[in-house]
Structures are given as C-alpha cells and as structure tokens.
Amino acid sequence: MIRKLVVPKELGEGIEVRLLQWYKAEGDLVGVDEAILEFETDKAIVLVGAKQAGLLRKCFYGAGDWMQTGDVVGWLSDELDEPLPAERDAQAEVLLVSFDAT
Amino acid sequence: MSRLFFREALCRAMAEEMERDSRVILMGQDIAAHGGSYAETRGLFERFGPARVRNTPVAEAVTVGLAAGAAAAGLRPLAFITYLDFLMLGLDALVNYAAKLRFKSAGQLTSPMVVKATAGAKGQGPTHAQSLEPWLMNVPGLTVLAPSTAGDAYGMLKTALRAPGPVVFIDHKKLFPRGGSVPDTEELVPVGSAAIRREGKHLTIVAHSYMSVLALEAATALAAEGIEAEVIDLRSLAPIDWETLTTSARRTGHALFVEEGQVVCGVGAELAFGLRERLSSLRVARLGAKRAPVAPSPVLESFIVPDAKDIEQSARDLLLANVKNGTHRTGKEET
C-alpha cells in the first residue's frame, strides 16, 4: 500500500514551510518514530517522523524547497516493488509527528 | 530573486543597513540574544554586538523616548514595538518630539528614527490586535509605511533606515508565516509609491498590509464571476501615492477601500474623500472592522475583522450601487 506524507495541517492553514533536510533517501526503510525530514516555519525548526513504518519511495521536494501545510511531501510503501500511482494526492495519509530537535 | 520568510527579509534589510551605516542601532524587547519576538533579529546580536543590538525593558515610552533622543544626537535607531497597541505609550516622544523636531529647531535638529510595530488580529484579544495606522497618518512629520510582501518589507525597511525623519514601519502578525520573493541585489522601495498588484477594469480595491493579501484572494474569486478588480497595495500610508490611486480610479469609476481597523476616521475615510476631491463622480465604499474591540475568540474575531468573502461582497455591492449614499459601509452586514 502506498501512503502519502503530508506537511502537518496542525501548523495552521496557509502556513508556508521550507524543507531543510531529508534524513532518509528514496528506497530507505523508515521505522516508526524515526526522523524522516526537517523543515522550518517562520518560528521553529521541526523534525518529523511517521506514525507508520514503511519504505520511502518518493520525495517530491528537495532541501530549500517551499511547501504549504497539506502539501504531499513524499510517499511510503509497504513493498519496494509496489507500482507508484499517477496521482500525488490520492492515497491514504500517514500521520507525521514532530520530535524535539536536540 | 530568492524566496525568504517575511522575518528573514526584515533581518536582511537590518543587517545590510547596519553594515552600511554604523549609526544604525536596534532597540527593543527580546531583540538581542533571543532574536526578536518574531525571530526577525536572529543572528544580529551575535554579528553586531550588544552596543548596537540592545534589549529594552517592557517600557515602550522609554524605548521610543530613548530612540527619539538618540536620533537627535546623531544615531539612526530602530525601535521595536512588539504590538502596535503599545506604541500608545510612546506616542508623546514620537508625535511631540520626533515628528516636530525639525520644525521646532528650524532644521537644526532632525530625528531619523524608525519605529517598527506589528499590527493585526491573530487570536490575541482586544489589546494585542489593533490596526491604528490612521492615528499616525494624521501627524505631520511622520512617514508611515506598511508592506504586505517579504520583498517590500526588505525594500521599505531599508528606505526607512535612510529616511531624514521619523518613520513608523507597520507589519502584521499574519504576514510572518508567509514566504515571498526578495531581490538578490539591493533594491529600495521609495516612500509614497503604491503598487498595482492586479490589473482590472471594473473597480479598484485599495488595501494595505495583510488586507492586500485578502484583496488579491477576493479579486481572484471575483474574476470567476466576470468582475475584474484592480488591486492597489498602498505600501505608503503617509505620504499617499495619489497619482496611482487617481489614475486607477478614473479608469474603473469605482473604488473600494479595505482596512482591518475601524472605518471611523480610518484610512478609507481619508482616501475616499481625497479621491472624491479629485474625481467627483467616483463611486466609493469602505470596508473595515465592525464597531467593536477585536475579540480573543476566533469565531468572534473573524466576525469582527473583514475577510476575503467580505471584500468580495463589498465589491459586488459597490458595482450594484447598493451602498447607501455611495460612501458608507461598515464591516459585515449587521443583523
């Protein structure tokens, strides 16, 4: 199953964020609560991981790119050979949670 | 062009001007090691040191008074007022001293200071939400600037830090979470220049600060109905760019003035009257907050302060000539 990683809407509507860094590359296995990426809001640097383990299959944005809350930043899948869909936004969502950046 | 957060655009302007002119100093609450209430001075304390980036106590009268005095003595201070509401405490120094110093001293003394203050409603209740720009527009000797984009924040703060007299630079809490294009090379925005953000032929919508963002949203929605609104971002509230306003309003024949603050003696009142003096057949309308303090409840706040839908409706009403007497309209329809 393909699942989408979404910039958390809890940050607020219309909030823009800047992607600082991926901690995983396409093809990497991502464990529950493992850091996947880091982005910056106008106020804070936010380190996030997924509430669901999976393989990172697709990164839609790179370091330095701008995104808005609700944007799909990447895809996770259960199997490495699962075919990727055409639609970026059509899949079930994985909850991204923030860690304290230490 | 680079895309920067609003705060980063401000920070870049300050850093460049501090580098260029050793007289520029910063003073305000939490601006030193903390990096500013909106993180807009991040890195400046480390770069320019405690003599030029100074924390002040929670005492706005003292902050503005010190800035006015320092300016008269030859520095170029930038004083931070975290909430525009609290500039009231510093108005004596700003209005009676800084704004009149050149006049009172027959040009022997000037007060080249900048007060940067943050206006606007964002869930913080009646005394941390006001848009009091018209109070300041009323004072001879004060320049009042209010950017709505990161690029203008950069270009206008640089202009303010080089201005001969006191400037009040007003930003908005809802502009800080936004990014925007900022020129890679130095670019100043002149005082008194409005910007046409969108061209249109049916009516002119005039706004400033965050209301310019909402006016553009409204114009996009109106275009889907076949209404082409021209959106003018004032940028400079004192002085006013009458030429840009008059040229646009002459062509469209209708002008809607949108502000987040009160309409009574507001920005729109001044602009509508000023334009009618120039274009007597112009149809005008005003939209602003309801006649109430800004409530801390998000439901009541959005009821009191205009949003994009209110701007759309006011534009339709104006074009349908539904505005009584052609001049007055306050906020959302009171029921």
Side-chain angles (χ1 to χ4, degrees):
Chain A
M1 183 177 180
I2 307 288
R3 295 184 177 85
K4 62 184 178 184
L5 303 169
V6 173
V7 182
K9 298 181 191 80
E10 292 72 19
L11 293 167
E13 199 184 329
I15 300 289
E16 291 183 75
V17 308
R18 181 166 51 203
L19 208 166
L20 295 179
Q21 194 178 348
W22 283 97
Y23 288 94
K24 298 285 177 183
E26 288 180 5
D28 283 359
L29 184 65
V30 179
V32 173
D33 291 346
E34 213 181 345
I36 300 177
L37 62 107
E38 188 175 61
F39 59 80
E40 184 177 25
T41 72
D42 66 314
K43 284 187 179 153
I45 291 171
V46 187
L47 185 66
V48 293
K51 272 288 188 192
Q52 160 96 37
L55 290 149
L56 183 62
R57 291 294 301 281
K58 183 79 191 165
C59 304
F60 290 106
Y61 296 92
D65 285 348
W66 285 73
M67 309 176 291
Q68 287 209 350
T69 49
D71 283 350
V72 179
V73 62
W75 281 335
L76 286 184
S77 75
D78 295 330
E79 307 295 338
L80 201 50
D81 55 0
E82 276 179 79
L84 295 176
E87 282 276 310
R88 187 187 293 198
D89 202 31
Q91 299 78 40
E93 187 176 328
V94 181
L95 195 61
L96 279 179
V97 289
S98 66
F99 301 105
D100 287 332
T102 49
Chain B
M1 296 289 250
S2 309
R3 194 164 176 83
L4 297 180
F5 280 116
F6 194 84
R7 66 168 159 84
E8 293 174 318
L10 292 173
C11 192
R12 193 177 132 199
M14 288 184 268
E16 286 179 9
E17 291 306 299
M18 290 177 83
E19 203 64 69
R20 177 182 171 271
D21 185 345
S22 61
R23 294 172 299 173
V24 176
I25 62 161
L26 313 180
M27 43 204 296
Q29 293 162 33
D30 297 325
I31 64 162
H34 181 70
S37 303
Y38 304 95
E40 74 275 46
T41 58
R42 203 176 271 173
L44 297 179
F45 178 72
E46 292 77 4
R47 183 164 166 192
F48 295 101
R52 295 183 70 193
V53 183
R54 291 170 173 263
N55 274 339
T56 55
V58 185
E60 287 79 1
V62 174
T63 307
V64 179
L66 281 173
L75 293 176
R76 282 192 164 272
L78 167 54
F80 292 73
I81 302 293
T82 311
Y83 295 97
L84 175 62
D85 315 63
F86 301 118
L87 179 56
M88 285 183 208
L89 295 156
L91 281 181
D92 180 46
L94 182 68
V95 174
N96 283 328
Y97 291 85
K100 294 175 177 59
L101 190 59
R102 185 170 161 269
F103 181 80
K104 289 200 293 187
S105 69
Q108 294 180 73
L109 295 171
T110 57
S111 191
M113 64 182 286
V114 181
V115 173
K116 178 187 139 355
T118 305
K122 193 168 181 276
Q124 289 166 311
T127 62
H128 295 71
Q130 293 167 84
S131 297
L132 304 170
E133 297 90 311
W135 294 18
L136 303 160
M137 290 166 69
N138 182 270
V139 180
L142 277 188
T143 297
V144 184
L145 305 177
S148 74
T149 67
D152 279 350
Y154 165 77
M156 288 161 73
L157 188 54
K158 285 176 73 79
T159 299
L161 286 168
R162 298 182 192 185
V167 176
V168 186
F169 182 95
I170 299 173
D171 50 30
H172 192 292
K173 297 171 197 80
K174 288 189 175 169
L175 294 174
F176 281 90
R178 303 172 61 83
S181 297
V182 178
D184 292 323
T185 51
E186 182 170 85
E187 219 167 277
L188 275 73
V189 176
V191 166
S193 68
I196 296 174
R197 298 289 184 207
R198 182 190 175 107
E199 292 186 357
K201 60 184 178 191
H202 295 131
L203 83 156
T204 303
I205 303 179
V206 182
H208 70 277
S209 192
Y210 184 62
M211 285 295 138
S212 296
V213 175
L214 296 187
L216 276 172
E217 269 179 42
T220 305
L222 288 166
E225 299 170 16
I227 298 173
E228 294 295 335
E230 183 141 303
V231 177
I232 296 183
D233 181 356
L234 285 168
R235 304 201 290 188
S236 175
L237 298 173
I240 292 286
D241 181 356
W242 289 110
E243 193 184 333
T244 298
L245 292 177
T246 310
T247 305
S248 173
R250 179 180 289 125
R251 196 158 39 75
T252 63
H254 298 78
L256 169 64
F257 302 91
V258 182
E259 63 199 294
E260 184 173 320
Q262 292 287 318
V263 291
V264 176
C265 299
V267 180
E270 172 58 25
L271 295 183
F273 201 95
L275 273 183
R276 285 286 289 258
E277 286 173 327
R278 292 163 172 83
L279 305 165
S280 59
S281 64
L282 182 69
R283 292 200 64 84
V284 294
R286 288 180 282 168
L287 173 66
K290 278 187 159 35
R291 193 81 177 139
V294 178
S297 144
V299 176
L300 291 175
E301 181 185 285
S302 70
F303 181 68
I304 289 163
V305 171
D307 59 21
K309 292 269 178 233
D310 297 326
I311 300 173
E312 285 171 39
Q313 192 53 45
S314 296
R316 289 186 204 104
D317 288 350
L318 175 62
L319 289 177
L320 293 169
N322 280 344
V323 182
K324 284 177 191 160
N325 306 324
T327 53
H328 193 70
R329 181 182 163 82
T330 55
K332 302 171 190 181
E333 281 303 333
E334 318 227 357
T335 48

